[in-house]
Amino acid sequence: MNIVLIGMRGSGKTAVGRILAQKLGRELIEMDELIVQKAGKRIPEIVTKHGWDKFRDLEEEVVVGVTKRDNTVIATGGGVVVSSPNITKLKQNGLLVWLTASVDTLLNRIGDDESRPLLKGKTRREDMEITLAERQPLYQKAADITIDTGGKTPEVVAKTIAAVKICCIIGDPVEHSLSPPIHNAAYKALGLNYAYIALRTSDIEKAIADIRTNGFRGVSVTTPYKVSALKYLDRIDPTARKIGAFNTIVNDNGVLTGYNTDGIGAIKALEEVTDLDGKKIVLVGGGGAALAIAAALKGKNTNLVILNRTGSKAKELATKVGAEDAASLDKISLVAEADILINATTVGMTKTGETIAPREFLHPRLTVFDIVYNPKETRLLQEARESGGNIVYGYKMLLHQATAQFQLFTGHPAPLEVMESTLIKALGGG
Ligand code: NAP
């Protein structure tokens, strides 16, 4: 993973980059230098002769080149954020650190350097103010970490960056993962020097090796690696071992331990509204999520029946976790006698309004938990509510598996309210 410094001219990208690269034993790549080499001209010459558009084209070519590199420190040009494809590429294998400073500080640091043509204003100050106002939201959106460099030496800033504890989600795809905003909001709320990024990976063996090399503190693991990556870990927590799948890695000085927080998340979500002791539960599903939930439920004193479209998978799962019974969906009428119904299938995810359990079997004593979280209120949950029962939203499982990960990564209790409101916002509101 590269460390990519972004920010305005004068924010200290090169000075900080030099010290950081030395501290970490990495190569420093200065993007502006590569552009100069590519064009065979200095930047003012490129801009006066061919315009800023030509400069930006060259910059995009350079971005493509540098993102093929690994374990470097990259000092970008101030305008790299203007192109969103640049940011997407840099983020694929990079931690983006935004170095901020006030206009006065930036102008002080640049000093009398008149070599760079003005972009927007008539004076250096006006140019800086207009450009900064335009780019601020772009830097903000791109940044994984923000560091105010005002009044700090490059040495101090580099030290802060080197000390950041990095966590990430790996999988394929990961671009739309909700984990980065949830975890980052929690770090910010507690003032922890942590950052959480999304790294798409097509080579899980290399990704796990990189976790050790880069000293990542914690990793969330998602599809398709929850089972296949187990073999690369040093230790596996008993729950994850029993399930045969994991979603979390904690790195203790190079020793990687795998955990599964999906089941814990589901139990916590349910226990917010109902006691589980002695309850009759119908769990529908035969995939990875159903397995994690079933194993967690059997750690409680519950009476568990597993139903699945493919009945043989339900039976396999029931044998694995020691459930009381298993069958195909022909037995869905069992819901009428149950205390709790859990949907752990994909049914309900689409807007077609499908539901796993016909309304006639829902009743007022029933708690219904649909782990599908998009849409927030599936048809199953809507009908359960209308039938007078308790409902548990799928996002609650996502939330609680993340709070369990947060605690494993940081050792601090998770700030639940912050994480919940961030998740709800990321899902599109109320
Ligand atoms: P999976 O391994 O692919 O399993 C899919 C399950 O859905 C299987 O049981 C499958 O039955 C069933 N299914 C698919 N289409 C069906 C249909 N038309 N009718 C009846 N059953 C059908 O997926 P997974 O990883 O377990 O995830 C399942 C769901 O849980 C997904 O929607 C996922 O987004 C959600 N999830 C939510 C959370 C959370 O935190 N809230 C966490 C993990 C997963 P067969 O075995 O017969 O194919």
Side-chain angles (χ1 to χ4, degrees):
M1 182 202 64
N2 297 307
I3 297 178
V4 183
L5 306 177
I6 59 170
M8 294 289 286
R9 238 181 119 219
S11 59
K13 299 181 298 286
T14 303
V16 170
R18 241 177 239 141
I19 300 168
L20 185 63
Q22 200 180 22
K23 260 187 203 308
L24 301 176
R26 294 176 176 215
E27 182 188 344
L28 171 68
I29 298 178
E30 290 192 67
M31 277 189 38
D32 278 355
E33 265 185 19
L34 296 183
I35 294 171
V36 169
Q37 278 170 23
K38 205 171 188 52
K41 295 183 181 75
R42 291 177 58 241
I43 292 174
E45 241 183 300
I46 304 172
V47 175
T48 16
K49 280 204 176 147
H50 309 287
W52 279 107
D53 285 349
K54 173 68 182 170
F55 175 81
R56 294 284 168 236
D57 288 347
L58 287 167
E59 186 171 51
E60 284 193 16
E61 286 173 33
V62 165
V63 166
V64 171
V66 299
T67 49
K68 288 186 184 136
R69 303 287 306 278
D70 200 7
N71 290 326
T72 68
V73 174
I74 301 172
T76 60
V80 75
V81 285
V82 170
S83 151
S84 69
N86 278 347
I87 296 304
T88 307
K89 286 187 195 99
L90 288 165
K91 267 187 175 292
Q92 270 162 13
N93 184 30
L95 175 80
L96 267 64
V97 183
W98 176 24
L99 304 183
T100 69
S102 67
V103 169
D104 283 339
T105 305
L106 294 172
L107 289 171
N108 263 339
R109 287 188 189 148
I110 293 169
D112 298 331
D113 178 7
E114 299 289 323
S115 64
R116 200 66 73 89
L118 300 180
L119 271 162
K120 307 274 176 182
K122 292 192 190 76
T123 63
R124 286 265 151 224
R125 174 170 289 276
E126 191 187 42
D127 193 61
M128 181 67 86
E129 281 170 352
I130 298 172
T131 311
L132 181 60
E134 275 181 15
R135 288 183 188 166
Q136 197 118 358
L138 302 175
Y139 287 131
Q140 207 155 15
K141 192 164 165 231
D144 297 306
I145 313 175
T146 303
I147 297 179
D148 182 358
T149 64
K152 292 181 190 138
T153 61
E155 174 74 34
V156 168
V157 176
K159 219 170 152 184
T160 311
I161 299 171
V164 175
K165 292 208 166 78
I166 303 167
C167 299
C168 68
I169 178 161
I170 53 174
D172 192 3
V174 290
E175 286 75 8
H176 302 294
S177 167
L178 301 170
S179 296
I182 309 172
H183 283 269
N184 283 321
Y187 302 148
K188 197 170 168 197
L190 297 193
L192 301 176
N193 193 18
Y194 272 67
Y196 188 108
I197 56 176
L199 294 175
R200 183 179 192 146
T201 179
S202 54
D203 182 345
I204 188 62
E205 190 173 359
K206 179 180 179 300
I208 303 268
D210 286 347
I211 287 162
R212 293 181 205 269
T213 318
N214 288 302
F216 284 117
R217 167 61 187 153
V219 182
S220 309
V221 179
T222 188
T223 317
Y225 303 122
K226 285 183 172 187
V227 174
S228 61
L230 264 178
K231 58 177 177 279
Y232 302 117
L233 304 180
D234 303 309
R235 291 185 192 152
I236 301 164
D237 149 270
T239 310
R241 186 180 295 283
K242 183 173 175 196
I243 297 169
F246 76 117
N247 71 337
T248 307
I249 302 173
V250 175
N251 181 359
D252 290 305
N253 301 317
V255 178
L256 306 186
T257 307
Y259 297 86
N260 194 316
T261 65
D262 280 335
I264 298 168
I267 296 287
K268 274 200 166 182
L270 272 168
E271 285 184 335
E272 277 182 355
V273 302
T274 181
D275 187 17
L276 295 175
D277 193 47
K279 294 286 165 68
K280 269 190 179 171
I281 301 177
V282 172
L283 168 67
V284 190
L291 174 56
I293 297 170
L297 286 172
K298 282 318 293 172
K300 301 270 168 181
N301 177 33
T302 56
N303 180 306
L304 182 63
V305 176
I306 300 171
L307 306 179
N308 190 43
R309 177 175 65 180
T310 310
S312 57
K313 269 164 81 181
K315 289 197 170 114
E316 252 173 60
L317 209 154
T319 308
K320 197 164 185 177
V321 302
E324 275 62 30
D325 202 359
S328 73
L329 290 177
D330 295 348
K331 290 276 182 69
I332 196 72
S333 60
L334 286 174
V335 170
E337 297 149 32
D339 301 303
I340 297 170
L341 164 65
I342 303 169
N343 174 40
T345 73
T346 50
V347 175
M349 268 177 81
T350 54
K351 293 211 165 69
T352 53
E354 289 174 323
T355 180
I356 201 73
R359 192 185 186 124
E360 61 189 288
F361 302 126
L362 308 178
H363 54 85
R365 273 189 313 99
L366 188 69
T367 295
V368 177
F369 176 24
D370 194 341
I371 76 161
V372 169
Y373 57 82
N374 202 355
K376 181 180 168 195
E377 186 153 317
T378 57
R379 180 174 154 199
L380 174 65
L381 289 181
Q382 194 189 330
E383 291 182 352
R385 197 161 42 77
E386 287 164 4
S387 306
N390 259 337
I391 64 167
V392 182
Y393 292 116
Y395 87 80
K396 290 275 187 177
M397 173 172 165
L398 194 62
L399 172 68
H400 288 299
Q401 65 77 28
T403 60
Q405 286 185 332
F406 179 91
Q407 182 136 13
L408 284 168
F409 297 165
T410 68
H412 291 274
L416 184 63
E417 278 174 28
V418 171
M419 293 175 84
E420 182 160 10
S421 61
T422 308
L423 174 56
I424 290 173
K425 200 167 149 210
L427 282 169

